[in-house]
């Protein structure tokens, strides 16, 4: 899945530097190619899907400039029109390497500086890039690095999802024996976080992985297996496989075992990364803009950056509260409501803003009155929308419509409804959703990752308000999730 955040990010870069086009490419983990991740091109409708991969070692001015920029780890500007795959772009074309940097974690380690992609800008409106632009683009490329590294981790998490019953630790080592990517399970097993960028010998408890690497390099088939004992004295099988590019894939497996609590921690950490990346990125950009001297026309952009950061921080608070509440439910405790009077429509607008990145690839259709004052726990009712909306986006194709409907029904009740045009739910599974923690339909497992707790929470919140949850669904057509709650809960 392409990251909506990267799309927005590239749009922002083009807007701030005032260029006609901008694109962000990642450097393939397993090949020496540029993979388009996000692109804006004001004059034509090129998208990252229509743009092909670019070979870094190919002939042509663009590939040569990319090699130069990656080599010198700094900007390169082309003054002639150039060809990026099928797309001809106008000068000046700025190519900035995206370098992922991390300070040494332990005193004997080197800091990590690894190119993970490039940011390219073309057709600047006033025709010249100056030092301020370079500085700004460099800072922005630092943010892109965080986003790209996160994408790589997501890709790995997707691979991991394919091994449903065993928690598989996966990592990819470069020919220099440094970790290129590693998933959460690998970090947990090895007992080091992060792993990325570190040399194997710095994280190798008892020299076990070094021996495995020696063995795999010596083997004719390019693979080797051994057992691995973790620092916590747990036993794993570990296997190594050499790739054609001289990289090594290492996989750790353990007997089937997982606890909902462990998965939940992983999920929360994952969910929190997105708002945090946005907040941190926005603050860094504002800092650089202020250092470069704020122009009157920058005011609006800065204001927008601050607003998005504030919105995302309120989202973080709510995700943390939701996690605490889920663990309370697990411990068999009742949900406590903090009831207040509030406008449900205003609450809906808040969550729509918070989820802007999740929802930007779908059409939204909102059917709601201008105002609807109800009594309830505002934060928890926002969580109902949050979970319905996130699922609607997750379990349907991009470009399809998500409909939100809020209406009053008889007997002083209101209905909160989210309808998607997605994969749907088989009739025999309907009754289990929201009741069985961890339950997921087979259909949904092919579509997206998840742990099956959001609907349990949503149902509990609905019922704690004296309401009920209903699901209507047809496989292949879509689903409607509905919470019916009293306008004023009984005290
Ligand atoms: P998850 O983290 O797995 O999405 P939820 O508790 O939110 O957990 O949902 C439980 C399961 O219900 C999902 O795994 C999926 O099988 C099904 N489901 C929820 N929402 C939808 C939807 N809009 N369309 C199809 N299936 C859905």
């Amino acid at each position: 899945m392409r990251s909506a955040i990267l799309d927005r990010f590239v749009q922002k870069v083009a807007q701030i530097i005032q260029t006609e086009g901008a694109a962000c490419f990642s450097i393939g983990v397993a090949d020496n190619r540029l993979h388009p991740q996000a692109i804006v091109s004001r004059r034509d409708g090129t998208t990252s899907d229509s743009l092909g991969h670019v070979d870094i070692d190919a002939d042509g001015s663009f590939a040569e400039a990319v090699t130069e920029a990656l080599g010198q780890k700094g900007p390169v500007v082309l003054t002639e029109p150039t060809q990026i795959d099928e797309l001809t772009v106008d000068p000046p074309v700025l190519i900035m390497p995206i370098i992922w940097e991390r300070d040494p974690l332990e005193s004997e380690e080197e800091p990590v500086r690894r190119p993970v992609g490039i940011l390219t800008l073309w057709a600047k409106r006033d025709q010249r890039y100056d030092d301020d632009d370079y500085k700004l683009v460099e800072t922005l490329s630092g943010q892109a690095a965080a986003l790209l590294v996160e994408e790589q981790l997501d890709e790995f998490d997707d691979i991991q999802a394919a091994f449903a019953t065993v928690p598989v630790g996966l990592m990819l080592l470069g020919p220099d024996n440094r970790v290129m990517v590693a998933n959460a399970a690998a970090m947990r097993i090895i007992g080091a976080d992060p792993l990325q960028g570190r040399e194997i010998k710095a994280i190798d408890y008892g020299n076990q992985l070094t021996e495995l690497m020696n063995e795999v390099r010596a083997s004719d088939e390019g693979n080797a297996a051994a057992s691995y004992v973790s620092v916590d004295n747990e036993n794993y099988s570990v296997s190594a496989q050499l790739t054609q590019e001289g990289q090594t894939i290492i996989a750790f497996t353990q007997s089937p075992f997982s606890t909902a609590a462990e998965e939940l921690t992983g999920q929360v950490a994952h969910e929190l990364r997105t708002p945090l990346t946005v907040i941190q990125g926005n603050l860094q950009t504002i800092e650089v803009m202020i250092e470069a001297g704020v122009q009157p026309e920058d005011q609006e952009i800065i204001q927008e950056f601050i607003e998005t950061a504030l919105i995302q921080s309120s989202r973080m608070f709510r995700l943390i509260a939701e996690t605490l509440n889920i663990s309370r439910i697990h411990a068999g405790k009742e949900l406590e409501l903090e009831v207040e009077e509030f406008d449900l429509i205003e609450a809906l607008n808040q969550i729509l803003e918070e989820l802007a990145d999740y929802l930007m690839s779908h059409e939204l259709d909102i059917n709601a009155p201008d105002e609807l004052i109800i009594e309830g726990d505002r934060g928890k009712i926002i969580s109902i929308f949050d979970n319905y909306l996130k699922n609607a986006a997750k379990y349907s194709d991009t470009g399809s419509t998500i409909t939100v409907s809020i209406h009053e029904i008889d007997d002083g009740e209101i209905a909160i409804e989210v309808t998607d045009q997605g994969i749907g739910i088989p009739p025999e599974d309907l009754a289990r959703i929201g009741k069985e923690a961890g339950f997921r339909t087979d259909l949904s497992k092919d579509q997206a990752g998840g742990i099956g707790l959001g609907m349990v929470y949503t149902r509990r919140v609905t019922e704690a308000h004296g309401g009920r949850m209903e699901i209507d669904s047809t496989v292949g057509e879509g689903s409607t999730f509905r919470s019916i709650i009293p306008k004023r809960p009984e005290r």
Side-chain angles (χ1 to χ4, degrees):
M1 196 179 91
R2 299 219 181 275
S3 155
I5 297 189
L6 265 175
D7 280 334
R8 275 258 286 251
F9 170 80
V10 169
Q11 276 165 10
K12 280 269 147 60
V13 175
Q15 190 186 351
I16 293 173
I17 313 288
Q18 306 207 334
T19 66
E20 287 290 315
C24 171
F25 294 84
S26 62
I27 298 177
V29 183
D31 58 18
N32 204 27
R33 285 174 141 189
L34 296 174
H35 300 261
Q37 296 294 338
I39 181 166
V40 270
S41 177
R42 299 233 161 100
R43 246 172 284 153
D44 57 38
T46 311
T47 65
S48 38
D49 290 319
S50 58
L51 201 62
H53 300 155
V54 180
D55 269 318
I56 296 178
D57 336 306
D59 292 335
S61 56
F62 181 66
E64 278 159 19
V66 168
T67 312
E68 193 186 333
L70 292 174
Q72 72 184 39
K73 302 202 159 89
V76 168
V77 177
L78 290 171
T79 49
E80 300 291 323
T82 186
Q83 197 80 15
I84 305 180
D85 191 44
E86 306 271 286
L87 182 74
T88 310
V89 296
D90 292 336
V93 183
L94 172 66
I95 296 164
M96 179 69 79
I98 301 177
I99 298 181
W100 186 70
E101 287 187 70
R102 215 207 48 223
D103 291 336
L105 295 173
E106 282 155 28
S107 53
E108 73 271 22
E109 270 192 274
E110 304 267 303
V112 177
R113 260 173 84 76
R114 179 163 69 84
V116 288
I118 61 153
L119 202 56
T120 173
L121 298 169
W122 60 86
K124 184 170 161 60
R125 247 169 261 156
D126 65 7
Q127 294 297 312
R128 268 187 56 242
Y129 292 109
D130 57 22
D131 285 346
D132 279 347
D133 291 335
Y134 293 153
K135 201 160 164 226
L136 206 48
V137 179
E138 206 174 351
T139 313
L140 291 165
S141 80
Q143 290 176 39
L147 294 171
L148 287 179
V149 166
E150 205 149 285
E151 292 276 290
Q152 292 180 340
L153 290 175
D154 280 349
E155 254 173 61
F156 248 56
D157 284 347
D158 288 347
I159 299 174
Q160 194 203 2
F163 299 83
T165 52
V166 277
V168 178
L170 285 173
M171 59 182 188
L172 184 67
L173 301 182
D176 57 354
N177 277 354
R178 276 182 190 274
V179 179
M180 300 178 77
V181 270
N183 71 351
M187 290 191 247
R188 200 175 56 235
I189 294 166
I190 292 183
D193 180 5
L195 279 175
Q196 196 149 25
R198 305 179 78 176
E199 240 187 303
I200 198 84
K201 65 174 193 294
I203 49 164
D204 192 8
Y205 171 68
N207 253 353
Q208 305 175 87
L209 297 174
T210 311
E211 278 172 28
L212 180 73
M213 292 300 291
N214 291 340
E215 205 180 314
V216 77
R217 296 232 159 93
S219 84
D220 292 338
E221 298 82 24
N223 57 42
S227 53
Y228 180 89
V229 184
S230 74
V231 194
D232 311 329
N233 225 359
E234 286 193 64
N235 284 298
Y236 295 88
S237 306
V238 57
S239 63
Q241 171 81 50
L242 273 184
T243 70
Q244 277 177 345
E245 289 80 18
Q247 297 154 345
T248 315
I249 301 167
I250 295 192
F252 297 85
T253 49
Q254 196 197 19
S255 53
F257 151 82
S258 92
T259 64
E262 227 175 85
E263 286 190 24
L264 181 63
T265 321
Q267 165 112 347
V268 171
H270 188 90
E271 290 239 359
L272 290 182
R273 277 199 315 218
T274 310
L276 252 185
T277 312
V278 175
I279 294 170
Q280 194 187 32
N282 286 10
L283 293 179
Q284 283 170 345
T285 312
I286 293 170
E287 189 183 26
V288 175
M289 290 178 85
I290 289 174
E291 272 171 17
V294 178
Q295 306 300 317
E297 66 270 20
D298 295 338
Q299 289 288 357
E300 204 178 309
I301 295 178
I302 291 185
Q303 192 65 36
E304 205 186 308
F305 272 102
I306 292 175
E307 264 163 36
T308 332
L310 285 174
I311 287 170
Q312 291 305 323
S313 49
S314 82
R315 175 162 169 74
M316 283 184 66
F317 275 114
R318 204 161 26 70
L319 286 172
I320 291 169
E322 185 169 324
T323 312
L324 289 174
N325 287 331
I326 291 179
S327 44
R328 281 199 195 116
I329 295 176
H330 262 286
K333 295 190 185 135
E334 284 297 312
L335 266 186
E336 280 170 28
L337 297 186
E338 286 169 37
V339 177
E340 58 181 316
E341 201 177 67
F342 68 96
D343 179 4
L344 186 61
I345 310 306
E346 195 243 330
L348 168 66
N349 288 333
Q350 178 181 330
I351 186 68
L352 289 176
E353 264 188 82
E354 287 179 22
L355 291 180
D357 286 318
Y358 279 90
L359 301 173
M360 70 179 297
S361 316
H362 285 79
E363 296 293 323
L364 270 188
D365 188 4
I366 313 285
N367 299 315
D370 293 337
E371 187 187 78
L372 182 56
I373 306 294
I374 66 164
E375 271 179 32
D377 186 321
R378 185 174 183 278
K380 294 196 180 68
I381 289 180
I382 291 185
S383 286
I384 299 183
F385 285 119
D386 189 343
N387 282 298
Y388 285 165
L389 284 166
K390 257 189 314 193
N391 282 354
K394 202 159 82 165
Y395 299 118
S396 68
D397 285 339
T398 54
S400 65
T401 301
I402 297 173
T403 309
V404 182
S405 157
I406 294 179
H407 52 266
E408 287 191 66
I409 44 184
D410 296 343
D411 304 329
E413 289 182 320
I414 51 150
I416 293 173
E417 238 177 57
V418 176
T419 302
D420 62 58
Q421 301 174 325
I423 56 174
I425 298 163
E428 64 277 14
D429 290 341
L430 277 177
R432 300 173 71 179
I433 291 175
K435 289 202 184 125
E436 260 176 61
F439 175 75
R440 313 193 55 216
T441 68
D442 286 340
L443 276 182
S444 67
K445 288 181 193 158
D446 297 337
Q447 175 90 8
I451 55 171
L453 284 179
M455 285 303 106
V456 174
Y457 183 64
T458 309
R459 183 182 289 271
R460 287 296 190 99
V461 168
T462 305
E463 288 174 356
H465 279 86
R468 60 192 182 276
M469 179 171 148
E470 297 173 350
I471 312 172
D472 303 326
S473 185
T474 309
V475 171
E477 285 183 18
S479 314
T480 295
F481 281 76
R482 187 180 305 114
S483 285
I484 296 176
I485 54 174
K487 250 176 117 173
R488 295 179 202 287
E490 278 177 29
R491 296 195 186 247

